[in-house]
Amino acid sequence: MAKLNFGGVEETVITREEFPLGKALEVLKDETIAVIGYGVQGPGQGLDLRDNGFNVIVGQRPGKTYDKAVADGWKPGETLFSIEEACERGTIIMCLLSDAAVISQWPTIKKHLTAGKALYFSHGFAINWSDRTGVVPADVDVIMVAPKGSGTMLRVLFKEGKGTNSSFAVYQDATGRALERTLALGIGIGSGYLFETTFQREAVSDLTGERGSLMGAIQGLLLAQYEVLRENGHTPSEAFNETVEELTQSLMPLFAAKGMDWMYANCSTTAQRGALDWMGPFHDAVKPVVEQLYASVKCGNEAQRSIDSNTQPDYREKLEEELKALRESEMWRTGAVVRTLRPENA
Ligand SMILES: NC(=O)c1ccc[n+]([C@@H]2O[C@H](COP(=O)([O-])OP(=O)(O)OC[C@H]3O[C@@H](n4cnc5c(N)ncnc54)[C@H](OP(=O)(O)O)[C@@H]3O)[C@@H](O)[C@H]2O)c1
């Protein structure tokens, strides 16, 4: 493990240099890695592990997702099984079901968690809120590698020779090998670097992030600005370009490559003056909302809301209504047209 200085704070991290793929293959050479669930993370992690030379099988219920696994080259009866059979065959059970499905499938998974096996998650949710999910594993290794990105990008970046950073944690070490198993899996799935966390910290930061700056807050901020521009007579084209298109097409790539500090130092003096003057008011307006959000996540309210709503029989229909409203909002209908007008799409 390397100690690195992040903006003045020392952290312990694992890099690929320290824990190369060869070492990961050696650590897991006698393991059968069972990827349970082939939604978004399942294909990303499973295919990266398979391409890296690990012994991987998939457990997936029948249906469209099962067919997708077949299309990806998993062979029924050889490397593709029912959830139950994969749990039985696997020595490492990678639980990549949706968080609600973990609750319903837990009795099946639990039955096959015999001595020496490891239970792996990519989220702290099931364990951190075990009082609500009922996921209480017996005396096996309970480990986590949580990629900080979608499974789709994990795969894309892997194929490009890049990587998604992941956090890792050991919740229970029954075999004495839990940490090396975790790190080997983290490297095997194609992580960039791995940083240490706990199931509790991962669950709380992840739910905060997706409700905040990654998804919830960003939509709220973009829509607020779009609406104000529209209410003041600006056209959809102008409002969308000033609010979204310039952000994603021009600024985000630079912001990603060089940081917001660089952006501030490399824009027009008018933009720079305004951004420096207005970052404070935006911060002050938003911080109380983030504090409210964090408190709601930490006390378990957000987890409970997610469990309650995702387990409703009509959840998918109700969700579709909400997504339809978003999709059919003027801002995103404008976005769809603007995207078709990008020269590369014309
Ligand atoms: N997506 C991300 O960006 C991301 C990033 C980091 C970590 N994670 C974590 O990775 C884990 C997997 O996430 P994901 O996004 O890959 O999940 P997902 O796409 O929602 O995957 C759902 C999987 O669960 C199965 N499933 C759903 N309901 C089921 C049920 N009642 N019985 C049996 N199987 C059922 C689905 O099969 P069907 O298709 O047949 O329904 C599919 O295989 C979660 O813990 C998540 O928090 C996700």
Side-chain angles (χ1 to χ4, degrees):
M1 297 205 193
K3 288 212 180 296
L4 292 183
N5 187 313
F6 291 86
V9 180
E10 201 170 77
E11 274 189 50
T12 304
V13 299
I14 310 294
T15 62
R16 293 184 191 189
E17 285 70 41
E18 272 181 279
F19 205 104
L21 182 59
K23 184 171 169 185
L25 285 163
E26 178 60 27
V27 168
L28 301 180
K29 68 178 185 316
D30 298 323
E31 309 268 13
T32 299
I33 303 168
V35 170
I36 307 300
Y38 204 71
V40 182
Q41 284 295 321
Q45 298 194 27
L47 293 172
D48 288 1
L49 284 165
R50 187 174 77 179
D51 287 356
N52 270 336
F54 295 88
N55 178 24
V56 191
I57 61 172
V58 171
Q60 170 61 43
R61 68 174 173 181
K64 273 207 311 225
T65 309
Y66 185 95
D67 300 343
K68 180 174 70 160
V70 173
D72 282 349
W74 302 97
K75 301 248 178 307
E78 285 177 36
T79 52
L80 177 59
F81 302 94
S82 66
I83 291 179
E84 170 122 41
E85 190 168 352
C87 287
E88 191 183 345
R89 287 173 180 255
T91 56
I92 296 176
I93 297 179
M94 293 180 81
C95 188
L96 297 178
L97 296 164
S98 65
D99 295 314
V102 178
I103 300 173
S104 69
Q105 293 301 308
W106 177 239
T108 306
I109 298 170
K110 188 179 171 183
K111 194 161 67 173
H112 297 290
L113 283 174
T114 47
K117 289 199 182 186
L119 175 63
Y120 165 109
F121 290 100
S122 282
H123 199 332
F125 193 107
I127 295 288
N128 184 51
W129 287 296
S130 59
D131 53 335
R132 298 164 196 266
T133 62
V135 176
V136 183
D139 199 17
V140 293
D141 292 352
V142 181
I143 61 181
M144 175 176 70
V145 176
K148 296 294 123 186
S150 138
T152 310
M153 280 315 284
L154 183 74
R155 183 69 183 150
V156 168
L157 293 176
F158 174 83
K159 290 210 270 190
E160 289 175 357
K162 302 176 185 168
T164 302
N165 299 328
S166 304
S167 60
F168 72 92
V170 172
Y171 177 75
Q172 226 167 249
D173 183 5
T175 63
R177 297 181 52 232
L179 180 61
E180 63 173 14
R181 277 169 140 178
T182 311
L183 300 181
L185 288 163
I187 295 299
I189 64 167
S191 300
Y193 82 91
L194 292 152
F195 57 96
E196 215 171 354
T197 187
T198 62
F199 276 63
Q200 193 268 349
R201 287 206 310 255
E202 197 284 335
V204 173
S205 58
D206 197 69
L207 264 68
T208 301
E210 64 206 9
R211 282 155 179 71
S213 70
L214 303 178
M215 305 275 292
I218 198 97
Q219 167 66 16
L221 170 64
L222 296 179
L223 182 60
Q225 179 170 305
Y226 181 89
E227 283 172 352
V228 170
L229 289 171
R230 290 286 293 127
E231 284 153 17
N232 284 280
H234 300 265
T235 60
S237 234
E238 187 161 61
F240 191 84
N241 272 282
E242 282 301 342
T243 304
V244 183
E245 194 72 351
E246 183 173 342
L247 174 70
T248 61
Q249 301 306 293
S250 170
L251 269 58
M252 276 295 181
L254 292 168
F255 175 17
K258 296 168 187 281
M260 191 58 107
D261 53 327
W262 183 92
M263 282 298 318
Y264 272 53
N266 289 275
C267 59
S268 73
T269 49
T270 308
Q272 186 178 52
R273 182 69 266 138
L276 285 164
D277 288 348
W278 279 91
M279 66 183 189
F282 274 108
H283 167 270
D284 296 350
V286 169
K287 192 163 177 191
V289 184
V290 181
E291 284 169 340
Q292 198 186 332
L293 161 63
Y294 189 84
S296 180
V297 172
K298 196 162 182 209
C299 72
N301 281 356
E302 295 297 313
Q304 192 60 48
R305 175 158 164 69
S306 165
I307 293 167
D308 291 345
S309 57
N310 294 357
T311 49
Q312 293 298 314
D314 60 349
Y315 174 67
R316 285 196 188 269
E317 294 84 74
K318 286 204 172 136
L319 174 71
E320 184 43 40
E321 279 170 30
E322 288 182 78
L323 294 178
K324 185 165 179 276
L326 194 56
R327 193 165 61 235
E328 292 184 353
S329 65
E330 184 193 285
M331 184 168 79
W332 291 117
R333 278 191 293 136
T334 299
V337 178
V338 172
R339 289 194 296 276
T340 64
L341 294 172
R342 287 182 195 152
E344 69 272 26
N345 296 337

